[in-house]
Amino acid sequence: MKQIAVLGHGVVGSGIMEVLEKNRVQVEEKAGCGVEVRYVLDRRAFPGLPYSDRFVTDFSVILEDPEVEVVAEAMGGLEPAFTYARESLSRGKSFVTSNKELVAAKGDVLLALAREKGVRFLFEASVGGGIPVIEPIHRSLGPNRIQQVAGILNGTTNFILTKMLREGTSFQDALELAQRLGYAERDPSADVEGHDACRKICILAALAFGRHFYPEDVPTRGITGVTARDAAYAARWGGSIKLIGRARRGSGGRVALEVSPMLVPGSSLLSGVGDVYNAVQVTGDMTGDVLFYGRGAGKLPTAAAVVGDIAAALREPGNDCSLFWGPADPAMLLPPEEAPSQGYFRVSGLDREELELFFPGAFFLESLEEGEEALITPPATQGELDAAARAAEAAGGRILSRFPLL
Ligand SMILES: NC(=O)c1ccc[n+]([C@@H]2O[C@H](COP(=O)([O-])OP(=O)(O)OC[C@H]3O[C@@H](n4cnc5c(N)ncnc54)[C@H](OP(=O)(O)O)[C@@H]3O)[C@@H](O)[C@H]2O)c1
């Protein structure tokens, strides 16, 4: 029987206990041994549970117990999660986590420490919840030179945008519905402003391109500026608007990273991904496009991914050095203005003929409102599109919306 500890007994932490209890046979088969949770750490006590006697509030109890081999973290936040991760790894305990904030901020440091100490640092649940994506990208797609990773990485915003697109609901009404259904938190800012998706694309980019990328260096736009009118134009065009996190290999081996609402053509694999579902599309030079699709959050899907990591760390406690990326290198980031881009613009104050002067070769969508035009530019760089938008505004145009195309 091998001993583990679970940090946090909220949605995911309690789910870990449930998965371990309900699917004990499958888990132990995968782990190759019996698995026992010796400690659960939380601020609160949870009386009345069959395992209430295992709760502790002092992390040093876990750290000082030499029989605890794996620590599974589901508390969230950067601290004390980072300190607990560092201390666990330093003491030769593997550390697994569902915490994207921790991995996006400190993944390189913790991977290096795990390598040095010969133990595992695993984080499958940190991106895509229950969708296996870290391990397949790292291992199965390993022989590819990855060109692009793009994904719908946040279920709350995808639910809101789906409502806006399919039912013409306003952003505010769709957000309130998401909150009533328990999909959106009372403070939904990390979701709707794109920060959650940003952390996840940074983790995926690190896996794909081998370097740490900090969320604060990634241009990030949320969905608060998307209107039902934009959704209607997208639908007329046969596509949709999705909040996309995208990392692309650009010129000189540099990486273009962004999070933004994007106009997604109907032909894209990501276009039909609706409601709270998530999807990650990886384009490799050998394999072509691969799509990972499923429930990107939720108690049991996320907990199952954590338990998968626990089983892997128990079965193979020695460090798997190939799951690794190096520290951040600012020279790896393609400046946003140099990134290739194609834009959707909704503009008032100028007619088509005037707009053609600023956006030559643009494709105009059928206008849904007098005095307003919606257009899609030919491929350009983001800097060129910025200049065109500035020139159109100087000539009396008003840019009502602007999103890149996927
Ligand atoms: N929920 C999901 O569907 C989902 C999906 C993928 C990834 N994740 C990630 O998984 C992590 C956990 O999410 P969650 O939804 O389970 O959060 P949660 O429901 O808020 O649970 C966190 C638990 O940890 C406790 N905790 C927090 N800080 C602590 C500390 N310093 N010491 C002791 N206990 C502490 C909290 O206690 P208090 O309540 O007293 O603060 C709470 O019981 C987050 O990083 C999240 O991003 C969640």
Side-chain angles (χ1 to χ4, degrees):
M1 187 67 78
K2 293 195 173 178
Q3 304 298 325
I4 66 168
V6 175
L7 312 183
H9 192 260
V11 175
V12 179
S14 64
I16 294 171
M17 300 304 285
E18 196 174 327
V19 173
L20 283 168
E21 184 51 40
K22 283 196 174 144
N23 287 359
R24 173 162 297 282
V25 174
Q26 290 86 339
V27 174
E28 293 189 341
E29 213 171 270
K30 291 291 169 202
C33 59
V35 182
E36 189 169 74
V37 180
R38 180 165 284 177
Y39 306 105
V40 182
L41 177 131
D42 203 286
R43 274 195 272 261
R44 291 170 289 156
F46 289 80
L49 294 172
Y51 51 88
S52 291
D53 56 333
R54 299 182 220 169
F55 275 82
V56 294
T57 52
D58 180 1
F59 179 67
S60 66
V61 174
I62 295 168
L63 199 61
E64 299 300 335
D65 186 334
E67 288 187 12
V68 172
E69 292 187 31
V70 176
V71 178
E73 186 264 322
M75 299 185 301
L78 191 52
E79 282 296 352
F82 176 53
T83 301
Y84 293 176
R86 214 181 40 207
E87 291 180 346
S88 300
L89 296 169
S90 298
R91 293 289 186 99
K93 300 179 194 302
S94 290
F95 195 87
V96 310
T97 183
S98 59
N99 183 342
K100 57 225 142 199
E101 192 176 348
L102 173 67
V103 184
K106 298 288 182 188
D108 56 339
V109 175
L110 295 172
L111 283 166
L113 184 58
R115 180 184 266 191
E116 183 194 325
K117 298 293 174 184
V119 290
R120 312 285 298 270
F121 174 60
L122 301 174
F123 41 88
E124 183 61 66
S126 67
V127 181
I131 311 170
V133 57
I134 304 288
E135 181 68 10
I137 292 178
H138 149 62
R139 203 175 289 278
S140 317
L141 297 177
N144 282 269
R145 189 175 152 82
I146 292 177
Q147 308 295 345
Q148 172 171 293
V149 184
I152 295 168
L153 302 168
N154 181 272
T156 308
T157 45
N158 203 37
F159 175 83
I160 293 170
L161 291 173
T162 304
K163 282 276 157 210
M164 290 172 72
L165 188 85
R166 292 192 187 152
E167 293 164 33
T169 314
S170 71
F171 169 76
Q172 198 53 40
D173 288 349
L175 171 60
E176 281 166 23
L177 178 63
Q179 284 171 319
R180 277 203 302 282
L181 293 173
Y183 296 149
E185 309 208 1
R186 217 165 340 131
D187 176 5
S189 51
D191 291 332
V192 300
E193 282 164 18
H195 303 306
D196 177 77
C198 181
R199 289 172 183 142
K200 294 171 182 169
I201 195 63
C202 285
I203 298 171
L204 293 173
L207 266 183
F209 303 112
R211 285 282 180 178
H212 196 91
F213 295 97
Y214 289 109
E216 46 275 28
D217 295 334
V218 177
T220 299
R221 260 178 84 191
I223 63 165
T224 49
V226 180
T227 64
R229 178 75 54 74
D230 295 311
Y233 276 114
R236 283 268 181 115
W237 178 62
S240 52
I241 295 180
K242 301 282 180 196
L243 181 67
I244 301 285
R246 178 167 68 179
R248 288 176 290 171
R249 197 182 283 279
S251 59
R254 292 174 300 171
V255 176
L257 263 165
E258 73 185 307
V259 174
S260 175
M262 293 191 194
L263 194 63
V264 179
S267 57
S268 162
L269 292 172
L270 295 177
S271 179
V273 176
D275 295 320
V276 290
Y277 281 88
N278 282 198
V280 177
Q281 183 177 353
V282 184
T283 310
D285 61 347
M286 297 292 119
T287 312
D289 285 333
V290 177
L291 187 75
F292 301 93
Y293 169 87
R295 292 189 179 277
K299 176 176 172 165
L300 293 178
T302 308
V306 178
V307 173
D309 280 349
I310 293 172
L314 288 172
R315 180 176 276 276
E316 294 166 28
N319 188 268
D320 173 3
C321 284
S322 65
L323 176 57
F324 191 78
W325 61 74
D329 173 5
M332 278 280 286
L333 271 176
L334 194 67
E337 61 278 9
E338 287 181 38
S341 190
Q342 202 175 349
Y344 156 87
F345 287 83
R346 185 160 64 87
V347 190
S348 66
L350 294 174
D351 62 23
R352 272 187 198 199
E353 273 182 18
E354 290 166 320
L355 283 167
E356 271 165 352
L357 295 174
F358 304 108
F359 300 102
F363 169 74
F364 284 83
L365 305 173
E366 188 190 331
S367 178
L368 295 175
E369 169 97 4
E370 192 150 349
E372 172 182 290
E373 295 290 347
L375 61 92
I376 296 171
T377 69
T381 64
Q382 202 167 302
E384 287 165 343
L385 293 183
D386 290 345
R390 278 196 301 272
E393 284 189 312
R398 193 161 156 243
I399 310 287
L400 303 170
S401 307
R402 172 185 171 179
F403 309 118
L405 252 69
L406 178 65

